[in-house]
């Protein structure tokens, strides 16, 4: 079925992102749906007037979602966004390489959502017209001529009406508290996804830092050896200049001077490389600070969610 749809669908926008799905067991944690960044595309089916989001990992479709007017794409961080697909009973999350890519996808999502809404309105209008034209006889109005039931102001019906109103109010309060708890849970999921991204970047930076430190130590040893060789050559040149014609020829002096200049240039280049590698340490410390901030926010949200758990207990026992 999937290839058949692809033949009659046209891509209208594509980008690359890391794809996540919400854990169906906990509804709180993100599960990576792809090991690497994959192509995520919007497709339009002109025959059915339907818009879909499709992403394929290898030979498997990891996203196959029909865009509906009720969907909302939410930016949860500078490079991460999510939306819920009620048909698939899941929540998709996308991690982008840049903030600009996230903005472009969000704008395209709004555009496609509006187009899907207009398509649905046109389809509903068409159905109403067809229904009106299909009416061949007047409706039986006998039911309309019957008198409606009289509601007693102070009788049992009034008590029933008041009881239903109280139930509606209580139900609304339950929904409000449940929504508040759900928002806290979603916020915690967003922080966990952000923390996952930071930990992934942190591990890569740590590996690069270890490699850089190993190279720095090796180059420091080479630098010491080059410095010793430079001093030795300088002493030889100075000795040749002091003894003039009693030492080796001028040709040997020129060769030693040239070797000395080459070593000095090599020392300068190695110093610059060491400086670049040491500058990466500051980037590592910045990444550690961002990770600590994300962990702090995550702990704060969990404490807040646990406090709201009391309201959840109240809901279950109303």
């Amino acid at each position: 079925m999937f290839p058949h749809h692809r033949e009659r669908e046209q891509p209208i926008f594509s980008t690359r992102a890391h794809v996540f799905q919400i854990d169906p067991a906990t509804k709180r944690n993100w599960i990576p749906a792809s090991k690497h960044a994959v192509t995520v595309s919007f497709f339009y089916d002109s025959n059915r007037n339907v818009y879909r989001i499709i992403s394929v990992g290898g030979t498997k479709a990891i996203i196959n979602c029909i865009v509906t007017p009720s969907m909302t794409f939410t930016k949860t961080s500078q490079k991460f966004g999510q939306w819920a697909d009620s048909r698939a009973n899941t929540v998709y999350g996308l991690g982008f390489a840049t903030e600009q890519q996230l903005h472009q996808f969000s704008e395209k999502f709004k555009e496609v959502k509006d187009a899907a809404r207009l398509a649905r309105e046109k389809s509903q209008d068409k159905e109403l017209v067809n229904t009106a034209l299909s009416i061949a006889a007047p409706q039986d109005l006998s039911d309309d001529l019957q008198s409606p039931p009289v509601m007693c102001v102070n009788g049992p019906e009034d008590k029933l009406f008041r009881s239903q109103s109280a139930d509606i109010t209580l139900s609304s309060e339950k929904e409000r508290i449940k929504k508040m708890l759900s928002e806290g849970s979603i916020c915690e999921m967003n922080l966990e996804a952000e923390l996952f991204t930071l930990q992934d970047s942190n591990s890569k930076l740590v590996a690069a830092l270890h490699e850089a430190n190993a190279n720095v130590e090796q180059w420091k040893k080479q630098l010491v050896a080059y410095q010793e060789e430079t001093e030795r050559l300088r002493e030889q040149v100075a000795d040749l200049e002091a003894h003039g014609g009693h030492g080796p020829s001028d040709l040997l002096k020129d060769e030693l001077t040239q070797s000395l200049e080459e070593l000095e240039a090599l020392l300068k280049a190695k110093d610059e490389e060491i400086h670049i590698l040491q500058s990466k340490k500051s980037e590592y410390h910045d990444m550690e600070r961002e990770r600590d901030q994300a962990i702090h926010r995550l702990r704060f949200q969990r404490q807040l969610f646990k406090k709201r758990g009391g309201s959840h207990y109240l809901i279950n026992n109303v």
Side-chain angles (χ1 to χ4, degrees):
M1 181 180 294
F2 180 72
H4 176 68
H5 287 318
R6 290 294 298 272
E7 290 177 359
R8 66 187 185 188
E9 289 178 327
Q10 297 296 326
I12 57 177
F13 177 81
S14 294
T15 186
R16 292 187 66 81
H18 290 272
V19 179
F20 299 85
Q21 284 189 0
I22 204 68
D23 188 346
T26 64
K27 297 294 184 181
R28 294 172 58 184
N29 301 321
W30 289 109
I31 299 177
S34 59
K35 295 181 180 180
H36 308 285
V38 295
T39 300
V40 181
S41 304
F42 287 91
F43 280 83
Y44 174 62
D45 186 346
S46 57
N47 293 338
R48 297 190 301 161
N49 203 13
V50 169
Y51 294 87
R52 289 202 300 166
I53 302 175
I54 296 174
S55 180
V56 179
T59 59
K60 179 182 178 182
I62 56 180
I63 300 178
N64 186 8
C65 171
I66 296 178
V67 180
T68 64
S70 60
M71 288 182 176
T72 300
F73 183 78
T74 305
K75 297 179 182 179
T76 57
S77 68
Q78 292 183 346
K79 300 179 182 179
F80 194 88
Q82 66 182 50
W83 80 95
D85 183 0
S86 59
R87 296 188 180 186
N89 192 26
T90 188
V91 179
Y92 292 106
L94 297 181
F96 296 89
T98 64
E99 186 176 357
Q100 181 182 5
Q101 290 179 339
L102 172 62
H103 177 72
Q104 291 175 348
F105 185 88
S106 177
E107 291 299 318
K108 181 58 65 174
F109 196 100
K110 292 178 182 178
E111 178 182 333
V112 170
K113 173 184 172 181
D114 292 339
R117 177 179 56 80
L118 292 175
R120 173 174 292 185
E121 291 176 354
K122 290 181 179 179
S123 177
Q124 290 175 349
D125 291 342
K126 185 176 180 181
E127 289 178 1
L128 289 175
V129 172
N130 293 335
T131 302
L133 294 176
S134 65
I135 297 177
Q139 297 291 328
D140 187 3
L141 301 179
S142 59
D143 293 338
D144 296 336
L145 297 177
Q146 296 179 358
S147 300
V150 179
M151 180 178 291
C152 300
V153 177
N154 296 319
E157 289 82 358
D158 183 48
K159 293 181 181 180
L160 178 60
F161 176 75
R162 291 179 180 176
S163 176
Q164 290 176 347
S165 299
D167 291 341
I168 293 174
T169 303
L170 183 59
S171 177
S172 300
E173 184 65 17
K174 284 183 178 181
E175 291 300 327
R176 186 184 68 81
I177 296 176
K178 285 181 179 179
K179 181 180 179 182
M180 201 167 63
L181 292 173
S182 177
E183 289 175 352
S185 178
I186 291 174
C187 184
E188 184 178 357
M189 288 190 302
N190 296 338
L191 287 174
E192 288 183 350
E194 183 179 352
L195 182 61
F196 175 82
T197 304
L198 286 174
Q199 287 175 341
D200 182 58
S201 300
N202 183 59
S203 61
K204 293 179 181 178
L205 193 56
V206 168
L209 184 62
H210 288 331
E211 183 180 358
N213 286 335
N215 291 334
V216 166
E217 294 299 325
Q218 180 181 359
W219 287 342
K220 281 183 178 179
K221 293 178 181 179
Q222 292 181 358
L223 187 60
V224 171
Y226 290 151
Q227 288 174 341
E228 293 177 354
E229 181 67 15
T230 301
E231 291 299 325
R232 187 181 65 80
L233 290 174
R234 283 177 178 172
E235 291 176 359
Q236 290 183 4
V237 170
D239 185 64
L240 288 173
E241 291 177 349
H243 294 84
H246 299 287
S249 63
D250 292 338
L251 180 59
L252 180 59
K253 289 170 61 178
D254 292 339
E255 292 178 355
L256 290 174
T257 303
Q258 183 178 358
S259 299
L260 180 61
E261 291 175 352
E262 291 176 354
L263 281 173
E264 289 178 344
L266 182 59
L267 285 175
K268 184 178 180 180
K270 291 297 182 182
D271 283 334
E272 292 178 354
E273 290 179 358
I274 291 174
H275 178 72
I276 293 173
L277 289 172
Q278 289 177 340
S279 66
K280 290 185 178 180
K281 291 184 178 181
S282 61
E283 297 179 7
Y284 170 71
H285 294 313
D286 292 340
M287 185 65 68
E288 278 191 330
R289 184 167 57 254
E290 292 181 6
R291 182 192 61 187
D292 293 339
Q293 291 174 355
I295 292 174
H296 177 74
R297 293 200 303 271
L298 179 61
R299 288 175 179 172
F300 175 77
Q301 290 295 331
R302 282 177 174 170
Q303 291 176 358
L304 183 62
F305 185 74
K306 288 180 180 178
K307 290 181 180 179
R308 291 177 174 177
S311 302
H312 184 62
Y313 175 79
L314 185 62
I315 293 173
N316 294 331
N317 289 273
V318 171

